[in-house]
Amino acid sequence: MKKKILRSIRDHENLMSFLSVIYRAFMLNSVKKHKGLKILGGGYFAKRTHVKNLGKDNTVEIEQGCRISNCNIQLFGNGNTVKIDHDCMLKDLDIWISDGGSVHSGHNTYISGKTHIACIEGKKVLIGARCLFSNDITFRTGDSHSVLNLGGERINLAEDITIGNHVWIGQQVVILKGAFVGDDSIIGTRALVTGKKFNGNVVIGGAPARVIKTDVTWNHELK
């Protein structure tokens, strides 16, 4: 019953916008941002969240019903975008994004502890809907330094990262450039997910990560 009531409240756009205004009026709903940054959206709830803008034409969009606390977003360069779809819950999330990059989280995704996303060199980090993150999780689309062959050519170019819908990510997982994890999958504790494609409905784990089980799914509730 309680979940149904909360769900009906979150689905009511005007009510969520009103509650957000009340929340802000009591100095609770605060996203501290630098001048010149566009923050779009409304009806979200945020506290102790900071956005640092070091460029132009950068945009952060937070949709209705999101609950955000202790988060930091830093945008370097121009044309970066961060979008958080409706009803996400984000705690202790740190985003670094540069050079026209994009970070997008689908709706109803829960980040329950310390997570760092470094989206550099204009790449994308795409996180699906209804995902569940544990804590101490790292995403990196690039290496931040150059690796060259003996002819002076750089060989460690950045790549996008894609996480499908309804993916559960365990503690201390590291997800590196080029990784693709399909829908309804599970990433085990301390896995190192490198630039490889994993189909949906699998459990992956290890360093580097490999498929441990196939034909599985998972549920938020312990049955």
Side-chain angles (χ1 to χ4, degrees):
M1 177 63 72
K2 182 179 178 181
K3 287 185 178 180
K4 289 183 179 179
I5 293 173
L6 291 174
R7 177 73 264 171
S8 64
I9 291 173
R10 290 200 295 267
D11 285 343
H12 196 297
E13 183 174 351
N14 291 334
L15 178 57
M16 289 299 293
S17 297
F18 173 74
L19 291 174
S20 178
V21 170
I22 298 299
Y23 196 70
R24 187 181 298 111
F26 284 94
M27 306 295 288
L28 296 173
N29 200 20
S30 61
V31 176
K32 296 182 179 180
K33 64 184 181 69
H34 279 212
K35 183 173 66 174
L37 177 70
K38 298 176 185 176
I39 296 186
L40 307 177
Y44 60 82
F45 301 83
K47 58 183 179 181
R48 295 187 296 276
T49 292
H50 297 80
V51 180
K52 187 174 184 180
N53 182 33
L54 298 172
K56 298 178 181 179
D57 300 320
N58 295 316
T59 302
V60 174
E61 182 176 357
I62 306 171
E63 291 190 347
Q64 157 185 325
C66 291
R67 288 87 74 204
I68 303 170
S69 63
N70 299 320
C71 294
N72 291 284
I73 301 172
Q74 300 191 58
L75 305 109
F76 302 90
N78 307 326
N80 299 295
T81 61
V82 176
K83 184 178 181 185
I84 310 298
D85 286 354
H86 63 86
D87 291 312
C88 288
M89 186 172 73
L90 312 177
K91 180 180 178 182
D92 297 325
L93 172 63
D94 185 28
I95 297 176
W96 290 39
I97 182 171
S98 68
D99 306 315
S102 175
V103 175
H104 182 193
S105 172
H107 65 83
N108 292 93
T109 283
Y110 283 62
I111 296 178
S112 56
K114 183 180 177 183
T115 293
H116 176 70
I117 298 176
C119 181
I120 63 175
E121 299 189 60
K123 297 304 177 181
K124 298 178 181 179
V125 175
L126 303 176
I127 298 166
R130 298 176 293 110
C131 292
L132 177 62
F133 289 21
S134 184
N135 55 63
D136 280 335
I137 296 166
T138 300
F139 288 76
R140 296 192 64 87
T141 63
D143 303 323
S144 298
H145 304 284
S146 296
V147 176
L148 310 174
N149 63 24
L150 294 182
E153 179 185 7
R154 185 179 169 200
I155 58 175
N156 65 329
L157 299 179
E159 299 179 56
D160 297 340
I161 293 173
T162 301
I163 303 297
N165 298 316
H166 195 239
V167 174
W168 175 14
I169 303 179
Q171 285 183 307
Q172 298 179 352
V173 168
V174 176
I175 300 176
L176 300 180
K177 59 184 180 180
F180 179 101
V181 180
D183 298 348
D184 298 299
S185 292
I186 302 165
I187 306 176
T189 298
R190 296 185 178 178
L192 175 62
V193 186
T194 56
K196 184 177 178 180
K197 181 175 181 179
F198 293 94
N199 294 325
N201 299 104
V202 297
V203 178
I204 63 175
R210 58 183 178 82
V211 175
I212 297 173
K213 290 184 181 180
T214 59
D215 301 320
V216 299
T217 188
W218 63 275
N219 196 301
H220 278 259
E221 297 179 3
L222 184 63
K223 293 186 175 182

